[in-house]
Amino acid sequence: MRPVSIALLLVASLASGLALAQNTKPPAKAAAPAQDSPLPTLSMIVPERDRIAVYTYYREEAAAGRCPAGLVKKNNACGAPAQAKQAWKLDQPLPDGVAGEALPAALIAKLSPSPAGYQYLRVDNDILIVGVGTRSVAALVADLSRL
């Protein structure tokens, strides 16, 4: 009886292995990347606490009578100049004529550390995260014209 049950188990295992082999399709080949597909973009998320820290810092500066560079004093308040044009685009390098300015050390101390290879810059009324060597704009942290 024992040899028969062993033989039956052996036949059953071989049959199931053969059925699996017949039902298994060869792995599909990975599709070749399309030649015309756009390059992937950098999706950097700015924490809300960093946005709040920037707005709080500049509101306190404005309340003390110190308008940040790029803003003009209007009726004892700081505001954006009329018809300010955005000189940068997300995921694109800053144009050659556009210069960024480092943020004050007191503000940088309140922000999350910038990712490796990136820095915080103020360009006109905007606080941006920009690639150090590429000058590529990775994220908008805050728009100071909303003060």
Side-chain angles (χ1 to χ4, degrees), residues 42 44 112-120 129-136 138:
L42 180 63
M44 189 175 293
S112 302
S114 60
Y118 292 89
Q119 64 183 349
Y120 290 101
I129 298 177
V130 178
V132 173
T134 63
R135 292 177 38 100
S136 180

Side-chain angles (χ1 to χ4, degrees), residues 40-62:
T41 59
L42 180 63
S43 296
M44 189 175 293
I45 298 172
V46 177
E48 187 63 25
R49 72 176 198 84
D50 286 351
R51 293 184 201 282
I52 292 169
V54 168
Y55 287 125
T56 302
Y57 176 84
Y58 282 108
R59 281 188 187 116
E60 289 172 356
E61 289 291 300

Side-chain angles (χ1 to χ4, degrees), residues 5-82:
S5 57
I6 291 175
L8 285 174
L9 286 173
L10 183 59
V11 170
S13 66
L14 287 175
S16 66
L18 185 60
L20 284 175
Q22 289 175 348
N23 290 336
T24 305
K25 294 179 182 178
K29 291 183 180 179
Q35 297 296 334
D36 296 331
S37 66
L39 294 173
T41 59
L42 180 63
S43 296
M44 189 175 293
I45 298 172
V46 177
E48 187 63 25
R49 72 176 198 84
D50 286 351
R51 293 184 201 282
I52 292 169
V54 168
Y55 287 125
T56 302
Y57 176 84
Y58 282 108
R59 281 188 187 116
E60 289 172 356
E61 289 291 300
R66 297 181 295 265
C67 284
L71 298 180
V72 294
K73 198 161 199 164
K74 295 180 184 177
N75 300 331
N76 294 332
C78 296

Side-chain angles (χ1 to χ4, degrees), residues 66-118:
R66 297 181 295 265
C67 284
L71 298 180
V72 294
K73 198 161 199 164
K74 295 180 184 177
N75 300 331
N76 294 332
C78 296
Q83 300 294 336
K85 184 179 177 186
Q86 183 174 325
W88 57 269
K89 291 184 180 182
L90 196 59
D91 291 337
Q92 297 294 317
L94 289 173
D96 290 334
V98 176
E101 185 177 305
L103 299 182
L107 176 56
I108 289 184
K110 296 178 182 182
L111 299 175
S112 302
S114 60
Y118 292 89

